[in-house]
Amino acid sequence: MTIRVYVPRDAAALALGADAVASLLSQAGEVDLVRTGSRGLFWLEPMVEVATSAGRIAYGPVTVADISSLLGAGMLVGGAHPLRLGRPEELPYLAKQTRLTFARCGIVDPLSLDDYRAHGGLKGIARAIEVGPAATIEQVTQSGLRGRGGAGFPTGIKWKTAAEAKGERKFIVCNADEGDSGTFADRMLMEGDPFVLIEGMAIAGIAVGATKGYVYTRSEYPHAIATFNAALDVARREGLLGGSVLGSSHVFDIEQRVGAGAYVCGEETSLLDSLEGKRGQVRTKPPLPAHKGLFGMPTVINNVVSLASVPIIMDKGPEFYREIGMGRSRGTMPIQLAGNIKYGGLFECGFGVTLGELVNDIGGGTLSGRSVRAVQVGGPLGAYFPPALFDTPFDYEAFAARDGLIGHGGIVVFDDTVDLAKQARFAMEFCAEESCGKCTPCRIGSVRGIEVIDRIAAGEAVDANLDLLRDLCHTMKFGSLCALGGFIPYPVMSALDHFPEDFRPVRREAAE
Ligand SMILES: Cc1cc2nc3c(=O)[nH]c(=O)nc-3n(C[C@H](O)[C@H](O)[C@H](O)COP(=O)(O)O)c2cc1C
Ligand code: SF4
């Protein structure tokens, strides 16, 4: 009898030797090997699963050296072994999650549309075709979905604006630039369940009357790029994309474009310039992309996770989705735990979980075993939060009220060896490196910021230079054209506010 064995081919699992493990397992007799995405428990990768009469049984982390003892212990029938983890869905890290957008990730064969359908796929688009564009937009609006790329703008309102705009053609652009530090949700989804993104984009196309979609993917994601292109071929072959979407009167196709790797090209208007073949530089607004976007046409730009959340909203209804969450942050967020953390990975749950629960209870604290000193939430433009603020719930408004942001849901953990003055300098360096150069506060301010922090670190007129740094941050925050220059003050100011001792090196060394 053939035994089905699942080995991830997600980039994180590949980096940990999944290909070699898969190759050895494929030679172990009657094995039907399925390559999946990752479930997002990275410390257990490569996590191998075997289909048994009691459901799937997981083993991990599996290395090539473990295979013979695993096979000897009867792994192919779920046998006991020190690496046996049991049923994956019963692992606390997964059991505590509310997996909606990532429901199939790590479970299905990413390139099998049949598998996608068998696990609930394509119901959302069937519903969108049935109810039509206006009701689809209304359903997305009612769900409370907000953009998961960083700004948290209501998705339904964006779609309505593009639907009402006049234009010869309209476009759906998916932002898969995923530049934030410690984030990988877009990548995991494109590698593990690409059809959910295709379905979400096709629904967006039907809703606003767009016939063409572009996915702009960062060049550092070769596996996501390859898997997504292969999924596009399957979707075209099986009629999900093309001249008659699933046999309907709707026309929609998608093309993937690969960026050259600039953080600012994740900003929506720079992304449009880059897609048009120009150097990625921020455009002034208005006009909004929804009025005048790609090639001057009305364009919806959404993050991968925003678009991939739409199918389940269309399938289960807006009430189902908006019931989860807190305040104006509705539904689930795939939170990415990274940096110096014991249990790094993807944790999808409703908004409202506190930062402390995420870092300590779910993430298990630091990997180094030292105490947590700071976490940066929301990528390189996000604030550093000390443990004293760990009661902050994961919610757009709660983070904003504490001068932070949740961004794309990345949390990067640092232990007590971190120097926040160095991190503040790094923020200014990053801004200087990645600035598109269009406006002065960001282009020049970031360079001056590095110089001021260097003077503070050298102990030169520290009080005066600290005042100058705060003044500079104020100018950048309110004078920059986009959120790169406008939000870089967040990591810098949070370092100054919560870790002032790091900016007084002489006094700190004396105290030690
Ligand atoms: C400097 C900068 C970088 C950004 N990088 C990304 C990115 O990598 N991915 C993303 O989805 N949004 C990014 N954004 C946000 C986008 O400008 C835009 O808000 C988002 O694509 C809209 O999609 P959403 O409403 O679905 O979040 C960035 C914004 C700025 C200012
Ligand atoms: S803030 Fe920086 S990245 Fe944004 S437009 Fe100005 S120079 Fe360009």
Side-chain angles (χ1 to χ4, degrees):
M1 197 186 71
T2 309
I3 296 164
R4 186 161 286 180
V5 176
Y6 303 87
V7 181
R9 58 170 207 183
D10 171 272
L14 291 179
L16 293 160
D19 267 351
V21 167
S23 153
L24 266 186
L25 283 171
S26 67
Q27 296 156 28
E30 298 282 288
V31 165
D32 169 23
L33 193 74
V34 178
R35 300 302 298 271
T36 61
S38 172
R39 297 222 195 210
L41 289 69
F42 290 156
W43 73 100
L44 295 176
E45 292 291 7
M47 188 164 98
V48 175
E49 296 177 28
V50 182
T52 73
S53 53
R56 289 195 192 180
I57 299 295
Y59 295 83
V62 175
T63 65
V64 166
D66 301 315
I67 302 284
S68 72
S69 80
L70 279 163
L71 291 173
M75 171 205 203
L76 296 181
V77 289
H81 187 279
L83 295 182
R84 187 182 192 276
L85 301 164
R87 290 161 61 88
E89 53 279 9
E90 287 168 9
L91 292 169
Y93 198 87
L94 276 175
K96 285 184 199 160
Q97 300 193 34
T98 306
R99 285 240 167 161
L100 302 183
T101 309
F102 283 76
R104 282 171 294 263
C105 209
I107 296 174
V108 294
D109 173 348
L111 295 179
S112 163
L113 200 59
D114 287 340
D115 213 3
Y116 181 66
R117 208 181 273 113
H119 286 83
L122 301 184
K123 287 189 190 160
I125 191 166
R127 181 91 187 121
I129 292 169
E130 184 193 325
V131 301
T136 299
I137 293 175
E138 183 57 20
Q139 197 153 325
V140 172
T141 307
Q142 287 306 323
S143 75
L145 178 68
R146 292 166 72 177
R148 305 295 193 238
F153 189 81
T155 306
I157 293 177
K158 192 182 276 189
W159 289 19
K160 191 163 191 280
T161 311
E164 287 170 354
K166 299 263 175 293
E168 271 165 54
R169 296 191 72 181
K170 293 180 185 176
F171 296 104
I172 307 298
V173 172
C174 170
N175 190 340
D177 199 48
E178 196 158 60
D180 280 3
S181 36
T183 63
F184 42 81
D186 298 350
R187 177 190 66 67
M188 252 183 74
L189 202 89
M190 289 171 78
E191 291 176 4
D193 192 14
F195 293 126
V196 77
L197 175 56
I198 295 173
E199 185 180 352
M201 288 183 73
I203 295 172
I206 291 169
V208 309
T211 50
K212 178 91 194 240
Y214 288 93
V215 177
Y216 184 91
T217 313
R218 65 187 296 109
S219 60
E220 290 92 335
Y221 281 178
H223 303 290
I225 293 164
T227 306
F228 195 72
N229 275 335
L232 287 178
D233 287 343
V234 175
R236 272 185 215 114
R237 221 173 32 237
E238 306 213 15
L240 171 57
L241 293 176
S244 166
V245 172
L246 293 181
S248 71
S249 59
H250 298 285
V251 177
F252 194 71
D253 205 351
I254 300 175
E255 199 178 310
Q256 180 173 223
R257 294 281 175 89
V258 179
Y263 183 71
V264 79
C265 285
E267 192 281 334
E268 56 188 20
T269 60
S270 299
L271 186 154
L272 292 177
D273 267 10
S274 179
L275 261 184
E276 290 177 4
K278 301 171 191 150
R279 182 180 133 209
Q281 206 171 27
V282 174
R283 298 179 183 175
T284 44
K285 286 192 251 184
L288 293 171
H291 289 135
K292 209 165 179 286
L294 189 63
F295 304 117
M297 298 295 154
T299 303
V300 163
I301 306 183
N302 274 131
N303 174 253
V304 171
V305 177
S306 317
L307 289 161
S309 300
V310 170
I312 194 149
I313 290 170
M314 291 309 296
D315 174 22
K316 306 257 189 224
E319 298 79 19
F320 165 84
Y321 197 75
R322 70 170 307 123
E323 232 161 61
I324 305 164
M326 73 170 276
R328 294 204 295 117
S329 308
R330 310 312 312 172
T332 60
M333 182 78 188
I335 296 162
Q336 299 128 84
L337 300 174
N340 187 347
I341 190 153
K342 200 166 173 194
Y343 303 125
L346 183 123
F347 192 89
E348 182 179 352
C349 61
F351 287 95
V353 57
T354 67
L355 192 52
E357 284 173 272
L358 288 163
V359 174
N360 294 322
D361 306 344
I362 295 156
T366 64
L367 182 64
S368 62
R370 301 178 70 100
S371 55
V372 175
R373 181 149 188 256
V375 296
Q376 189 178 27
V377 185
L381 311 178
Y384 287 95
F385 274 32
L389 297 182
F390 275 13
D391 61 343
T392 314
F394 221 78
D395 160 66
Y396 293 105
E397 280 66 42
F399 265 74
R402 288 182 165 177
D403 290 328
L405 51 114
I406 64 174
H408 185 47
I411 299 183
V412 179
V413 179
F414 296 83
D415 72 12
D416 59 358
T417 59
V418 67
D419 179 336
L420 269 301
K422 284 196 180 142
Q423 294 305 119
R425 187 189 196 276
F426 174 71
M428 287 293 189
E429 265 182 284
F430 179 79
C431 187
E433 185 75 26
E434 299 292 339
S435 169
C436 83
K438 188 147 179 167
C439 69
T440 315
C442 167
R443 187 184 68 245
I444 308 286
S446 53
V447 178
R448 294 290 94 89
I450 299 169
E451 294 164 358
V452 177
I453 296 172
D454 281 347
R455 287 202 294 274
I456 294 168
E460 273 176 46
V462 174
D463 288 325
N465 278 309
L466 283 172
D467 287 346
L468 192 58
L469 184 57
R470 284 185 185 274
D471 192 42
L472 177 65
C473 282
H474 185 270
T475 304
M476 290 176 76
K477 183 171 172 181
F478 294 103
S480 296
L481 182 60
C482 87
L484 179 45
F487 280 45
I488 266 302
Y490 280 74
V492 178
M493 293 294 290
S494 59
L496 280 170
D497 289 341
H498 304 306
F499 307 92
E501 62 278 19
D502 288 18
F503 294 84
R504 305 264 176 195
V506 180
R507 263 184 245 167
R508 197 183 59 181
E509 274 159 28
E512 282 166 3

